[in-house]
Amino acid sequence: MDEAAKPENVRAALTALSRLLNGKPAAENTANRKRMVLSNAFRYAVEERALLTRHPFLSVD
């Protein structure tokens, strides 16, 4: 989890979520939905499992 929470990896994940598998931009609604799922997973890691001390989205612009 620590590796996934590094800012450069979070940025890469957010970029990947905004693209389709063929590299084209995803629809805004699709990208937002995927971003929410990732955010919920990080929130679960912080609040419920105590695997992280802070939500990684807070360290990324």
Side-chain angles (χ1 to χ4, degrees):
M1 284 305 290
D2 291 332
E3 197 65 29
K6 289 184 178 179
E8 60 270 14
N9 293 335
V10 172
R11 281 188 199 96
L14 291 173
T15 300
L17 293 176
S18 67
R19 297 271 175 201
L20 299 175
L21 290 176
N22 63 7
K24 293 181 181 178
E28 186 176 344
N29 189 33
T30 301
N32 286 337
R33 189 180 71 247
K34 291 178 179 180
R35 203 173 302 118
M36 283 190 313
V37 170
L38 182 60
S39 178
N40 288 339
F42 279 137
R43 187 172 343 116
Y44 178 75
V46 172
E47 294 175 3
E48 300 294 327
R49 300 297 304 262
L51 297 172
L52 297 171
T53 57
R54 181 174 183 216
H55 195 295
F57 280 11
L58 298 175
S59 62
V60 204
D61 290 337

